[in-house]
Amino acid sequence: YIYVGLYGYDYLTAGRKVIGLFKERGWNAIIADNLVLRLLGIVCLAIGLLTGTCTFLAALLVEELESSGGWLGAGFTAGFIIGLVLSGIIMGLLSSAVDSIIVCFAEAPTEFMDSHPALAQEMQTAWSAAWPEEFRGVAIVSLGGGLGIV
């Protein structure tokens, strides 16, 4: 979807171009090892459990005040589902932002270095440490006033 938004390609062409970009850079392992999606899923689950626990406690309070039975499980389930859905929406936005950063960095690392040199260097260093073999395709170096890709 990133190439669709950036360049206006249709979905099939955009998918082929992004896969080709990552293959050209040798970043297949980076795509496969997308820990951000897993982390955001765990955060969604934790938010769902926390929301479910809060609604369980609210249902427990209502049950004690009104002496009506059977609302504890329903309260937890409703809170869990609401928390999971709402956090899933927010985490989906974050996941899309991370994917956009990865694709844009793969597409134009020198432009990133021109615009934000400190952030680009930090990203280069962190990715090189995490994926030393796969991240060999892009090395941003200073060329005495200019920048280059090795």
Side-chain angles (χ1 to χ4, degrees):
Y1 296 122
I2 295 150
Y3 265 37
V4 172
L6 287 174
Y7 302 115
Y9 293 130
D10 63 276
Y11 290 111
L12 292 176
T13 304
R16 278 192 295 262
K17 288 191 176 285
V18 168
I19 294 299
L21 173 68
F22 282 108
K23 282 183 180 178
E24 175 186 312
R25 299 266 191 239
W27 289 11
N28 293 336
I30 294 174
I31 297 172
D33 192 23
N34 191 354
L35 298 177
V36 172
L37 189 59
R38 292 180 192 149
L39 177 67
L40 294 178
I42 291 170
V43 170
C44 285
L45 183 62
I47 290 172
L49 289 172
L50 183 65
T51 309
T53 302
C54 290
T55 54
F56 175 81
L57 294 174
L60 185 64
L61 180 65
V62 168
E63 189 171 279
E64 279 193 25
L65 293 176
E66 295 184 4
S67 299
S68 60
W71 288 104
L72 297 178
F76 177 81
T77 303
F80 177 75
I81 291 172
I82 290 169
L84 197 65
V85 168
L86 292 179
S87 64
I89 292 168
I90 300 300
M91 298 306 151
L93 291 172
L94 289 175
S95 177
S96 296
V98 169
D99 291 345
S100 297
I101 289 168
I102 292 171
V103 170
C104 289
F105 185 62
E107 177 75 19
T110 54
E111 286 83 353
F112 185 42
M113 181 63 109
D114 290 341
S115 302
H116 306 282
L119 291 174
Q121 192 60 45
E122 184 179 340
M123 197 165 178
Q124 158 96 33
T125 303
W127 283 23
S128 294
W131 296 286
E133 293 278 325
E134 292 80 8
F135 200 71
R136 68 186 184 284
V138 176
I140 303 170
V141 295
S142 174
L143 298 175
L147 297 173
I149 299 179
V150 178

